[in-house]
Amino acid sequence: MTHLTDQELEVARLIIDAVYLEDLKVEEIDPEAPLFGTGWGLDSIDALEIALAISRKYGFQLRSDDVEIVHIFASLRALTEHIQKNRTD
Amino acid sequence: MLETAATIPLLDPSSALEPIAHRRQGAVSRQAFLAHVGRTAERLPDSLYTINLCEDRYLFLVGFAAALLRGQTNLLPPVHLDGEIRRIAAGYPGAYCLVDRPHEILPLPQCRLDTFDLNPFLATDSVPNIGADHIAAIAFTSGSTGQARPHPKRWRSLVMGARLAQRRFGFSRGLSIVATVPPQHMYGLETSVLLPLATSVSVCGKRPFFPEDVRRALASVPVPRALITTPVHLKACIKADLCWPKTRLIISATAPLSPTLAAAAEQALDCPVQEIYGCTESGSIASRRTLEGDLWRLYDGLALYEKDISYCVSGGHLAEAVALNDSLMPDGPVWFKLLGRQDDLINIAGKRGSLANLDHKLNEIEGVEDGVFFLPEDDAKITRLSALVVAPHLEKRMILAALAERIDPVFMPRPLYQINSLPRTPSGKLPRHAVRELLARLRSTLANAD
């Protein structure tokens, strides 16, 4: 299991709060696991909640016509990197 | 006229001067669209059935119309999981998929629309006619046995339904529609595919998802603009706190919209919020402005009548009466109140399912001895199903993985609790209150453990 960075931990907590993953333990998180489908099991409604939480905390809006969007939600690690590049807070 | 015509034109004859769509490249005239449809129709495989999976709404529209031109029927699977597509296609030999990107593990032949050169050399004014009785589309609902039930839609009925919506909402000439709903579902098909074909409105070729996408899509099309969406998307848009472009109308459907959310949306976008009521079987049949109260008004020409313990709707675009799954209370001939869904039916983010069907899928997993889905009533956040499962030899992740292959992601239980036994009565029934109490206990135990 790869260790989470502080930033990844912060984003993981944001996701857990946003989409109510009450039985996911932070220490069990694999930062490389896919967020959708087999990994975290998230879906498109969760993506809306996560996007909202991100815009509130980090001050920027996600867009699906961003050519990178598939990669952005590929894993916790990818999402965290995207947030660090785009945050305006 | 429409009721008896043998053929009905693919496009509304009085709207030749209005664009039909707006793409990144600009507005698409109806003449260019007809050329795109004609060229696409020539290249479709020979088959009676097509499953249109295009995500680009304009390419969906072109593929849908081209299939009609070729006398083909558009199948609309409720879920785009490979297994579900395979199951539905099994009943329609020769079915192929229309796609706008390569799909890796799709179980059917694929016809790629995105690789067609759509540049028309010859825009055309000649509007083809489609057989009014041709089954233009077949929508599906999930029955309680796990078998999808087909609901055929004739071209006449679809066009008449679009005209009824036009009459109800009075869409002005040149109205641009931006839709967040997929064209593959009845509500999305009616509003973002049939309205542009059968009336003078045009549609944005995109399918915006995040609030910022919706804002940009609205800003990219000419006024007047209408936003066709769902409570889930509307809520996300309102909470995003963006500065919205001038919009004439919002329409929401698929799940009840709360008056609070409707009021917030009316304020943020400075326009009325209307709701449509309907179901896969009947299509749209009524509307209301959420803030004006809880009475729904039937579309013109439709009527309700009581049969056994439920209500049927007939008239208008419907060739036959359709039984409604909701319990409702008529108030005179054209108004009614919606009292709620019948017990077994659930609606999560616009996806309709049957709890019995989900239980069936859960219990068919090898190693699951007993299990039940439950819809908690006290959730402040977006509603999610919970599941209680007895499966002593399976790990939770194995159960979840097996479920993910069988059911739509929105129905995935969150959380799923593994327990020793379900609180069944001696006769085998599972009282709701017993499940509710067990769930509450499990939740508080979990909270204390944290």
Side-chain angles (χ1 to χ4, degrees):
Chain A
M1 185 76 54
T2 329
H3 194 63
L4 298 194
T5 66
D6 287 348
Q7 287 167 344
E8 283 164 357
L9 194 62
E10 185 178 282
V11 177
R13 292 215 165 101
L14 172 128
I15 296 175
I16 289 170
D17 286 348
V19 305
Y20 207 30
L21 291 170
E22 59 184 26
D23 54 355
L24 185 76
K25 303 265 180 290
V26 167
E27 56 270 26
E28 290 170 8
I29 289 172
D30 174 2
E32 306 279 1
L35 293 176
F36 294 98
T38 50
W40 291 51
L42 303 183
D43 62 28
S44 59
I45 306 167
D46 297 322
L48 282 177
E49 291 289 333
I50 294 168
L52 180 65
I54 287 174
S55 72
R56 292 201 168 150
K57 188 168 174 76
Y58 301 109
F60 75 99
Q61 299 284 342
L62 284 173
R63 298 202 335 251
S64 62
D65 58 357
D66 187 320
V67 287
E68 294 288 308
I69 192 72
V70 179
H71 306 294
I72 293 167
F73 274 103
S75 67
L76 175 65
R77 185 148 290 166
L79 182 61
T80 307
E81 276 169 23
H82 183 73
I83 289 172
Q84 300 314 325
K85 257 190 269 168
N86 290 277
R87 62 192 296 173
T88 62
D89 58 313
Chain B
M1 286 230 313
L2 272 186
E3 288 83 344
T4 54
T7 62
I8 298 172
L10 177 66
L11 293 179
D12 170 36
S14 68
S15 304
L17 297 178
E18 309 299 337
I20 193 161
H22 304 278
R23 307 189 76 194
R24 193 166 301 179
Q25 304 86 326
V28 183
S29 72
R30 287 178 185 249
Q31 294 70 28
F33 169 71
L34 289 172
H36 294 164
V37 171
R39 291 183 59 150
T40 303
E42 286 168 14
R43 300 189 198 179
L44 295 185
D46 284 323
S47 171
L48 292 174
Y49 304 103
T50 179
I51 298 179
N52 191 332
L53 300 177
C54 291
E55 285 157 25
D56 177 312
R57 200 177 300 274
Y58 181 68
L59 292 182
F60 181 96
L61 184 65
V62 169
F64 182 88
L68 295 185
L69 231 59
R70 288 284 299 273
Q72 302 183 357
T73 294
N74 292 278
L75 305 179
L76 308 170
V79 188
H80 291 168
L81 297 175
D82 297 320
E84 188 67 16
I85 289 173
R86 188 183 301 119
R87 264 191 295 280
I88 284 189
Y92 302 90
Y96 67 95
C97 289
L98 273 174
V99 298
D100 55 2
R101 63 176 172 85
H103 289 245
E104 273 169 24
I105 47 172
L106 208 56
L108 295 180
Q110 301 178 28
C111 175
R112 295 258 314 259
L113 281 191
D114 57 320
T115 58
F116 287 8
D117 175 16
L118 286 181
N119 285 327
F121 335 112
L122 281 176
T124 170
D125 270 322
S126 141
V127 178
N129 281 309
I130 307 296
D133 288 322
H134 174 59
I135 296 179
I138 302 179
F140 296 86
T141 50
S142 50
S144 56
T145 55
Q147 276 292 343
R149 284 185 30 212
H151 304 284
K153 307 288 175 185
R154 296 188 190 277
W155 177 236
R156 182 199 317 277
S157 167
L158 292 176
V159 172
M160 286 172 71
R163 302 250 173 109
L164 290 179
Q166 154 74 35
R167 196 177 310 168
R168 169 55 47 88
F169 296 109
F171 299 127
S172 47
R173 197 157 272 282
L175 180 83
S176 315
I177 282 177
V178 169
T180 63
V181 285
Q184 287 90 352
H185 292 176
M186 259 324 265
Y187 168 51
L189 186 79
E190 289 183 307
T191 49
S192 70
V193 176
L194 289 155
L195 282 177
L197 293 175
T199 78
S200 65
V201 309
S202 58
V203 68
C204 172
K206 293 180 200 147
R207 184 178 153 198
F209 181 76
F210 293 115
E212 176 65 6
D213 300 333
V214 177
R215 191 192 67 76
R216 285 172 180 240
L218 280 169
S220 75
V221 296
V223 291
R225 309 175 176 117
L227 174 62
I228 309 279
T229 189
T230 63
V232 168
H233 266 100
L234 201 52
K235 188 171 167 193
C237 286
I238 300 316
K239 283 188 171 175
D241 211 12
L242 299 170
C243 186
W244 293 94
K246 195 170 165 52
T247 303
R248 162 107 26 119
L249 170 71
I250 298 170
I251 295 179
S252 172
T254 69
L257 183 64
S258 75
T260 316
L261 180 52
E266 289 212 354
Q267 197 179 8
L269 278 87
D270 194 22
C271 69
V273 176
Q274 297 273 359
E275 273 182 277
I276 288 180
Y277 171 75
C279 58
T280 306
E281 292 89 331
S282 66
S284 301
I285 58 167
S287 70
R288 67 165 180 173
R289 182 171 175 182
T290 318
L291 291 186
E292 283 175 357
D294 57 1
L295 282 178
W296 295 83
R297 186 175 160 211
L298 284 168
Y299 282 4
D300 291 354
L302 287 163
L304 294 172
Y305 67 90
E306 203 170 359
K307 190 187 171 197
D308 303 327
I309 50 161
S310 58
Y311 278 90
C312 293
V313 61
S314 65
H317 61 291
L318 299 170
E320 299 166 359
V322 172
L324 298 171
N325 290 309
D326 293 318
S327 24
L328 42 90
M329 168 96 76
D331 185 344
V334 294
W335 301 88
F336 65 91
K337 218 182 246 186
L338 210 50
L339 301 177
R341 303 238 157 214
Q342 283 174 9
D343 234 14
D344 176 56
L345 285 178
I346 45 165
N347 190 322
I348 294 183
K351 295 275 176 72
R352 202 175 77 184
S354 131
L355 283 176
N357 180 33
L358 292 172
D359 291 347
H360 177 85
K361 300 248 159 101
L362 173 61
N363 285 283
E364 115 198 323
I365 296 169
E366 206 174 309
V368 169
E369 295 174 4
D370 198 359
V372 65
F373 276 84
F374 191 77
L375 184 66
E377 289 142 6
D378 55 343
D379 248 339
K381 296 215 177 184
I382 284 175
T383 308
R384 288 285 180 180
L385 293 171
S386 302
L388 297 166
V389 186
V390 182
H393 306 295
L394 292 182
E395 280 178 45
K396 187 195 276 192
R397 59 177 179 81
M398 295 158 78
I399 307 173
L400 287 171
L403 271 178
E405 288 172 11
R406 291 170 165 80
I407 67 175
D408 191 284
V410 300
F411 298 135
M412 286 297 282
R414 188 175 299 156
L416 180 152
Y417 297 106
Q418 278 188 284
I419 50 172
N420 293 329
S421 67
L422 284 173
R424 290 194 183 273
T425 63
S427 64
K429 291 216 169 90
L430 199 55
R432 273 177 84 79
H433 69 86
V435 175
R436 201 180 300 133
E437 282 160 17
L438 176 60
L439 261 180
R441 242 187 355 259
L442 288 165
R443 283 197 165 177
S444 67
T445 317
L446 204 78
N448 292 338
D450 284 351

